[in-house]
C-alpha cells in the first residue's frame, strides 16, 4: 500500500530557530501533499496544500512566511517553521493523496515539535 | 464547501460490546467519505471509504460504515470491540473532483474500551 514517511518524528528547538520537516511518498507519486496541524485532543487543521512545482496554497489564518512549504519533487514536500515560538509547539502531520478520483489521504506518522 | 460533524467527543464502551460512532456531513456537491483512526502520537490510518455503489462499506479491523444520503450520515460501527480499538476516530469528507480536493475532518471521537 501507499506509504508516507515523515521525518523527524520528534524535535525540540529553541525559540527563534527554524525547523524543517520532511514528508516523502515512498511508493507513489504525489503531485499534491497536505500539511495539517493538530493541537492536543483536537482535530486536524489543514494548514496548506502543497503542489509540486508551484506555490503552496495556504488556508486562511496560516502565515505563509512563517510556515514555508516547498514541494520540489513528486515524492518530497518540506515544511519549515521559521523563527519558531513556543506557541508553534504542536503535532504536525503531512499527507499525500494517491492518483485517481476518490483516493484517500495517506498520512505520515507526524512530527511532535516542542519549542522551548 | 463541505463540513463534518461528529457529535460524540467521547464514547466509552465495554469490551466485546457493539459500538456506533456518529458522523454527519454537509455539502452542496456529491462527496466521498472516509473514516480514519489515530493511535496516540501517530498519524492517521484509513479504516474505510465510501466512493459510490453499495452504501454499506466494510473496512479493516472489523469496522463498517453505512452511507445514508437522505440523512447525510456516515456512521461507523463494529459489532464487538476490543481493547486494541481504543483510539481517536475521525470522519472526513471530500468533494468529488481532482486529487487536489481537500479532505475536511470532523472533530474526532475518542473511543475508550473498558474491560
Amino acid at each position: 500500500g501507499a506509504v508516507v514517511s515523515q521525518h523527524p518524528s520528534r524535535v525540540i528547538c529553541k525559540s527563534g530557530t527554524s525547523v524543517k520537516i520532511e514528508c516523502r511518498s515512498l511508493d507513489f507519486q504525489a503531485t499534491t501533499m497536505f500539511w495539517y496541524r493538530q493541537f492536543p485532543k483536537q482535530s486536524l487543521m489543514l494548514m496548506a496544500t502543497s503542489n509540486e512545482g508551484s506555490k503552496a496554497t495556504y488556508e486562511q489564518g496560516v502565515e505563509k512566511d512563517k510556515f514555508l512549504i516547498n514541494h520540489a519533487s513528486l515524492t518530497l514536500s518540506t515544511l519549515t517553521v521559521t523563527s519558531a515560538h513556543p506557541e508553534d509547539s504542536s503535532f504536525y502531520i503531512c499527507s499525500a493523496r494517491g492518483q485517481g478520483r476518490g483516493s484517500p489521504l495517506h498520512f505520515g506518522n507526524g512530527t511532535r515539535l516542542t519549542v522551548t | 464547501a463541505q463540513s463534518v460533524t461528529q457529535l460524540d467527543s467521547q464514547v466509552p464502551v465495554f469490551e466485546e460490546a457493539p459500538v456506533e460512532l456518529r458522523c454527519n456531513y454537509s455539502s452542496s456537491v456529491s462527496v466521498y467519505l472516509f473514516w480514519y483512526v489515530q493511535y496516540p502520537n501517530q498519524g492517521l490510518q484509513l479504516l474505510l471509504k465510501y466512493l459510490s455503489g453499495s452504501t454499506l462499506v466494510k473496512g479493516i479491523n472489523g469496522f463498517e460504515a453505512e452511507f445514508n444520503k437522505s440523512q447525510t450520515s456516515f456512521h461507523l460501527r463494529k459489532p464487538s470491540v476490543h481493547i486494541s480499538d481504543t483510539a481517536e476516530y475521525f470522519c472526513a469528507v471530500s468533494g468529488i473532483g481532482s486529487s487536489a480536493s481537500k479532505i475536511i475532518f470532523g472533530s474526532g471521537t475518542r473511543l475508550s474500551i473498558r474491560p
Side-chain angles (χ1 to χ4, degrees):
Chain A
V3 177
V4 175
S5 175
Q6 186 172 343
H7 180 80
S9 59
R10 187 178 296 268
V11 59
I12 301 173
C13 70
K14 293 185 177 181
S15 290
T17 61
S18 296
V19 174
K20 179 184 284 188
I21 302 170
E22 291 188 350
C23 180
R24 296 180 183 273
S25 57
L26 296 186
D27 50 3
F28 67 102
Q29 294 183 333
T31 54
T32 303
M33 291 186 176
F34 302 88
W35 287 95
Y36 290 85
R37 182 174 180 176
Q38 186 179 33
F39 293 100
K41 299 183 179 181
Q42 294 189 29
S43 187
L44 284 76
M45 181 191 78
L46 179 64
M47 297 175 65
T49 302
S50 170
N51 304 296
E52 187 268 336
S54 64
K55 292 183 179 181
T57 303
Y58 289 83
E59 295 300 301
Q60 191 172 8
V62 178
E63 299 177 61
K64 62 180 181 180
D65 294 330
K66 180 165 188 61
F67 298 99
L68 300 179
I69 292 174
N70 183 277
H71 196 152
S73 74
L74 288 172
T75 59
L76 173 64
S77 176
T78 60
L79 168 68
T80 301
V81 182
T82 62
S83 186
H85 291 282
E87 56 264 33
D88 298 326
S89 298
S90 191
F91 193 54
Y92 294 87
I93 309 176
C94 75
S95 64
R97 198 162 189 178
Q99 305 273 336
R101 291 190 166 191
S103 295
L105 286 179
H106 303 284
F107 286 83
N109 281 330
T111 297
R112 173 73 60 191
L113 171 63
T114 303
V115 184
T116 60
Chain B
Q2 293 79 42
S3 67
V4 181
T5 301
Q6 291 181 249
L7 292 172
D8 306 306
S9 59
Q10 294 188 59
V11 174
V13 183
F14 285 106
E15 193 174 16
E16 297 184 5
V19 69
E20 177 179 84
L21 305 184
R22 295 182 294 170
C23 173
N24 288 87
Y25 70 93
S26 68
S27 176
S28 57
V29 299
S30 296
V31 296
Y32 299 131
L33 293 157
F34 309 88
W35 273 100
Y36 286 86
V37 60
Q38 184 181 32
Y39 299 102
N41 294 313
Q42 292 188 28
L44 276 68
Q45 180 182 6
L46 179 68
L47 278 177
L48 47 79
K49 62 181 178 182
Y50 170 79
L51 304 182
S52 64
S54 173
T55 56
L56 183 62
V57 180
K58 294 188 182 298
I60 62 172
N61 301 342
F63 284 94
E64 64 180 31
E66 185 159 18
F67 171 58
N68 188 318
K69 188 174 182 179
S70 63
Q71 296 186 6
T72 60
S73 68
F74 190 55
H75 301 330
L76 181 71
R77 303 186 184 99
K78 185 169 183 177
S80 176
V81 296
H82 301 283
I83 292 289
S84 59
D85 293 323
T86 298
E88 190 86 17
Y89 291 81
F90 293 96
C91 182
V93 64
S94 170
I96 291 177
S98 71
S99 61
S101 296
K102 295 184 285 189
I103 292 183
I104 305 300
F105 287 85
S107 55
T109 298
R110 182 169 299 277
L111 178 61
S112 58
I113 310 299
R114 301 170 174 173

